[in-house]
Amino acid sequence: MTDHLTRLLGGDDLAWLVERARHRLEHGRPLTGTVSLTAATTGQRRALETLLGRRAGTGRSLTVSLDEVDRVVRASGACAGLADAVVRLRGPVRDLPALAAERDDAWRSAFAALDAHVAGRPELSGWRAWLDASGLVRRLAPEAAEAGPLLERLTAVLSRVPSAGVPIGRLAAEACGDAHALDDGRPLGTLALSAARALCGLPYAAEGGADGRRAAWGAAGVYLDELSSLVLSLGLPGDPVPGEPHVRTLRQLRRSGPIAAGMVRVCENPVVVAAAADELGAACPPLVCVNGRPSLAVWRLLDLLAAGGARFAYHGDFDWGGVAIAAAVHDRMGFTPWRYDASSYEKVTCDAPLGGRPAPTPWDPALSAAMRARAVRVEEELVLADLLGDLRTG
């Protein structure tokens, strides 16, 4: 019977027909209706005509009824029908829908711990959707069995950030049992860095090399080392050279106690500190620069100043990135706006277009509304003379 079936359907010229039938069976479709073959060879046409016992039409293409083939196979006595013939000639048929469902279940299980964690942290919901859209996890761990443990470790890391300040090796050791698990280039390090960027409002995909990685982790309260996290200031008690800008490392600040400084002005850009040093020197009142997204050193210094009884006045760029930085400082430290309100914004003449996503300004809700309406960007350099005047008068 097997030889009979091989002679009937097993030749190379009918292989296309058997494969079309197998494809249908694998996808759970019945062997009914027709299948076609374009640009059929003479051998393929003759083989089909021999199978059916009739002419197979004219032209380059072939169209055949699967119902008719099934009847021919049954009538031949070679097997129980076309579906049986496919199995005998090609082996067991896979149930592709069932396999796909199993894979989907496996991937849902792999993401289960992470999804449960993200459900309680709306600030990570956009990042979680990005993981699916970008396919990052499946590139790093192609199989669900491999991805599951990876995502469980990622969840353990996320449960510990943002942090009040922890070295990345310690975070990795405590969360994963491997001090190098979050190293640059490791799968977990790549995923966790994207989450850290999400937590501080940055694009999820990594950019900026080592400096960008350091800044993203720093904004999440994790430092790569104590010496690369810096903060720039002027006029603080204990500065080694009065009137000159001073850079403190996180290492120095972690060993410092509260700093009593009264009112402390906080700016976003180093140009303000440099100009204040040039024009005011030792007469400049306490001034701290966050220099973009605050590093751990910045947060540590602000915390020490707050512990010493300091009050803060803040100024930054009038753009949505500057607003996000100011909001982070306001949420953690609180401040009085230093020419950083709607009235001050409206007074500046500028036509630089404002891009980005609008954000609230809780220290002055009218500022966000004014920026959306006016849609121009004002950098600190444009109001530098006013800021220096404030510093000059204390």
Side-chain angles (χ1 to χ4, degrees), residues 236-238 248 253 256-262 264 300-301 303-310:
L236 293 185
R248 291 172 170 85
L253 292 167
S256 298
I259 302 171
V264 177
R300 176 64 177 172
L301 177 57
D303 286 341
L304 292 175
L305 288 165

Side-chain angles (χ1 to χ4, degrees), residues 334-368:
F335 62 68
T336 299
W338 173 25
R339 295 184 183 269
Y340 201 56
D341 51 23
S343 175
S344 300
Y345 172 70
E346 295 284 7
K347 291 177 182 177
V348 183
T349 301
C350 183
D351 58 4
L354 174 64
R357 179 178 298 179
T361 51
W363 58 92
D364 179 20
L367 173 58
S368 180

Side-chain angles (χ1 to χ4, degrees), residues 88-113:
R88 289 171 179 262
L89 292 170
R90 295 290 190 269
V93 173
R94 298 171 298 169
D95 186 344
L96 294 184
L99 291 174
E102 289 178 7
R103 284 194 297 271
D104 290 343
D105 287 343
W107 277 106
R108 277 192 292 272
S109 295
F111 274 97

Side-chain angles (χ1 to χ4, degrees), residues 59-73:
R60 294 295 307 278
S61 65
L62 285 175
T63 298
V64 59
S65 166
L66 293 177
D67 300 273
E68 182 179 3
V69 174
D70 183 66
R71 288 194 297 271
V72 168
V73 172

